[in-house]
Amino acid sequence: MMAIGFRKTQRDQKAATTERRSAEHAPAPDRSAVLGEVEELGIGMFWATDPEGRLSFLSARAIADLGLDSGSLIGQPLTHIFQEIEEGTGASTQRSLAFKLKARSKLDEQIVAVPDGRGSSRWWRLNGRALLDSNGAFLGYRGSAVDISSQYAYETQVARDSKVDELTGLANRRKLNDRLSATLAAFRTSKRSCALMMIDLDRFKQVNDTMGHPAGDELLKQVAQRLASIVGDAGEVGRLGGDEFQVLLPDMDDRGTLGELANRIVQSLSQPYQINGRRAIIGTSVGIAIAPYDGVEADELNRAADMALYSAKETRGGTFCFYTSNLRDAASKTAQLGDRLRDAVDRGDLKLAYQPLVDPLTNEVKCFEALLRWHDEEEGDISPAQFIPVAENDDLIVRIGEVALKQACMDALAWPETIRVAVNVSAKQFIRPGYRKAVAAALEASGLPPGRLELEITESVFVGDLETVDAVFRDLKKLGVRLALDDFGTGYSSLGYLKHGHFDKIKIDQSFVRGCTENGDINPAIIAAIVALAKALGMETVAEGVEAMDELALVKERGADLVQGYIYSRPITQEQVLAQFAEGSGLFRPSGPPRYRAERITIFRKVGLIHEDHYYDVILRNLSKTGARITGLAGVPVGTDVVLDLGHGQLVVSKVVNATENSQGLKFETSLIGDGSGGFMTRHRISPYSLAEAGIPLAALGAGAFPLAKWRDANKSIPRFVQLELSGPGV
Ligand code: C2E
Ligand code: MG
Ligand code: MG
């Protein structure tokens, strides 16, 4: 300060410079003094936790404001001190605080209530993040807070008085919550069901940040219009606040229909938006819970839908997820997986496998795709589909991506010059500023010609401000690498960006290929259309996930240039690739089952089987949409009608179609449906209401989540089958 005043009044510039330098070199104000002033002035407060999530520090001013002493706060679990805001208060909605802390996610403008020493509460807006040491061990949270009590009280009052969301004209949080509580209360007596969908936009913040808040508001309005037109009068659409929407669907418990509706919502909201002459794209995730199965009170159901939403976002975004009771443990599992993954990366435990992309006309390999492999001591092989999303939660994805890229380039250099290598790129990694440099560095370090490197990118990169994304593409093309669009048709499916000419190759997603030869399937037409489109735009096509001979014949006939799938080879090691070339052969022979068989998931799970008025315990060995194999019972004749109890009201009427001494094949009367994440579930569940009054044959039902134990013990006849002892993992 002094130096500036001095400069203004003196002509001698030299003297001024000297003065200024000495001011610059004067000891900077002590950091803690500055922080102390910030606290003292009430501009901000700071807090910290220990690794167990207990408060280890809170600004003195904050403690004084609360009228408490530090002794009653320090050492308390954070979730006791900071309480989630009550539903229906009109404030922006908050994902469960406890959930975020468990998953060690960033706290971003989270509003909490903090009970004070005067029997009421202050409202704080929190920011914070997990602190890791240099080895990646979790040390606790560090964060700041701002007291927003007065503003909050005003907003809450305004929201209380109104039932409409001003921006979009939809129902607001309060109205939705009133409606949900009223519906559930009324339906409880009439035993009707009601579904709740929680909808959250993926990366909306990015649009807000890069295009400005007015653009963000405009986008929310357009989202509201699209939602309202899809849902129509099947339910009530509302905005909870921020970028969260909700749909209430009375008398709806068909998970098939709900999944289709959720899918339509995801697809529709992911189409490009025009905002003041610019284009923007966002993604959408949906969580679904259904009363009375997943909860009978409004807050139970809200929490269940929220958890399902969280899970949908964690898996990959752009998708939907139904609530299941397993989701409760999901957050802590994710955190554990993250810790182990970091160790694995440090130890260099992540390896690459290579899967050939073969020309189906000549059986010659043209390219290998590099796929990460992780073998964990405890858990065994963990799929990249599971650990990549975890790595994407923080900077780990950048490290993993760079290691994979370097290794793949190096390995490819040992192959014949005509063979390319394809490396997967996470969207999160792709849009980071340093990505082009990392690619250039990997090419330079290995000496691989850029034209032999192909980057596989999914549609999820086309999110947010498309001009920034375009610039990354142009940079990469300048480097001379090839670009492939992976999993085409699954995500944000917009053909618009294909026209920009960024891509050299389209990979048709496995879901179009699998089972495409079944009668009445429209997938062959989709495959043909994608191939035609790609040809017109000068792109190569790859059919992914080809397993059976009939699928190979079909994709060949529809003109796919390359085929990747178990039919040619599973992913193999670099040694195996080299051995193949050493033999002088770049040929892979197709081999696999002649026809596609309905997908069966191999499992080992204890479930129930009902026959007459008996409930037996059996082991489910595998499950497909249309049937299952069970063990654990002896003497069950072919043709017997039974009911399989998959848990939580999922009863499947089945017939025994084949049987050995202690194992039976069941065919389901009604097919199961996909659960959105690779598993199967029943379209309908038996409501706990009907279960509670169940007669024959439901009288034999297991206790499970339902109050049926009394029937179970009251067996009325002699069991027909022999219950064998069940043993094995998980039993
Ligand atoms: P993707 O890029 O679509 O890779 C193809 C996946 O399909 C691989 O699964 C491959 O093993 C599997 N696959 C290939 N042919 C068949 C088949 O005939 N039948 C079946 N059922 N599956 C087949 P994988 O290795 O588990 O990888 C899953 C996903 O993880 C990949 O999907 C990719 O998105 C991601 N990923 C793998 N490696 C990396 C990586 O280095 N970086 C990033 N960012 N993602 C990776
Ligand atoms: Mg790929
Ligand atoms: Mg793929």
Side-chain angles (χ1 to χ4, degrees), residues 369 424 456 458 485-488 507-510 544 564:
E369 176 175 6
N424 290 285
E456 292 197 0
T458 62
L485 182 55
D486 205 351
D487 302 344
F488 183 72
K507 301 187 77 176
I508 306 169
D509 189 66
Q510 320 202 352
E544 291 190 81
Q564 176 181 6

Side-chain angles (χ1 to χ4, degrees), residues 600 620 622-624 626-630 644 664-668:
R600 278 177 185 268
L620 191 61
N622 67 40
L623 182 67
S624 75
T626 52
R629 174 152 293 276
I630 53 165
L644 195 63
Q664 295 81 29
L666 305 182
K667 187 171 179 347
F668 302 152

Side-chain angles (χ1 to χ4, degrees), residues 354-370 412 415-422 448 451-454 456 482 505 507 540-542 560-564 568 577 580-581 585-588:
Y354 294 98
Q355 189 178 29
L357 279 72
V358 179
D359 178 344
L361 301 176
T362 61
N363 290 338
E364 267 176 301
V365 59
K366 297 289 177 192
C367 176
F368 283 96
E369 176 175 6
W415 308 340
E417 273 168 20
T418 51
I419 311 291
R420 290 192 294 262
V421 64
L448 188 76
R452 286 183 62 194
L453 175 64
E454 212 161 68
E456 292 197 0
R482 286 168 52 99
K505 187 186 226 173
K507 301 187 77 176
E540 208 176 24
T541 45
V542 184
D561 298 305
L562 294 174
V563 167
Q564 176 181 6
Y568 279 114
V577 174
Q580 175 104 15
F581 287 126
S585 158
L587 291 182
F588 283 81

Side-chain angles (χ1 to χ4, degrees), residues 692-714:
E693 342 172 299
I696 304 292
L698 298 181
L701 258 180
F706 312 115
L708 289 162
K710 56 179 177 171
W711 277 293
R712 201 176 175 191
D713 298 330

Side-chain angles (χ1 to χ4, degrees), residues 375-386:
H375 182 83
D376 179 72
E377 291 277 296
E378 276 171 48
E379 299 272 315
D381 291 330
I382 302 177
S383 154
Q386 221 181 327

Side-chain angles (χ1 to χ4, degrees), residues 87 173 176-177 180 184 196 198 240 246 289 297-308:
E87 300 286 345
R173 168 183 281 270
L176 281 168
N177 227 54
L180 179 62
L184 292 178
L196 185 67
M198 204 73 95
L240 297 176
Q246 198 177 59
E297 303 287 345
D299 58 342
E300 262 181 299
L301 205 62
N302 264 307
R303 198 155 309 152
D306 215 26
M307 243 181 254

Side-chain angles (χ1 to χ4, degrees), residues 144-165:
S144 61
V146 179
D147 190 320
I148 54 158
S149 302
S150 46
Q151 174 201 349
Y152 189 78
Y154 170 75
E155 280 176 7
T156 323
Q157 192 52 46
V158 171
R160 282 224 169 96
D161 296 343
S162 122
K163 295 201 161 195
V164 178
D165 173 51

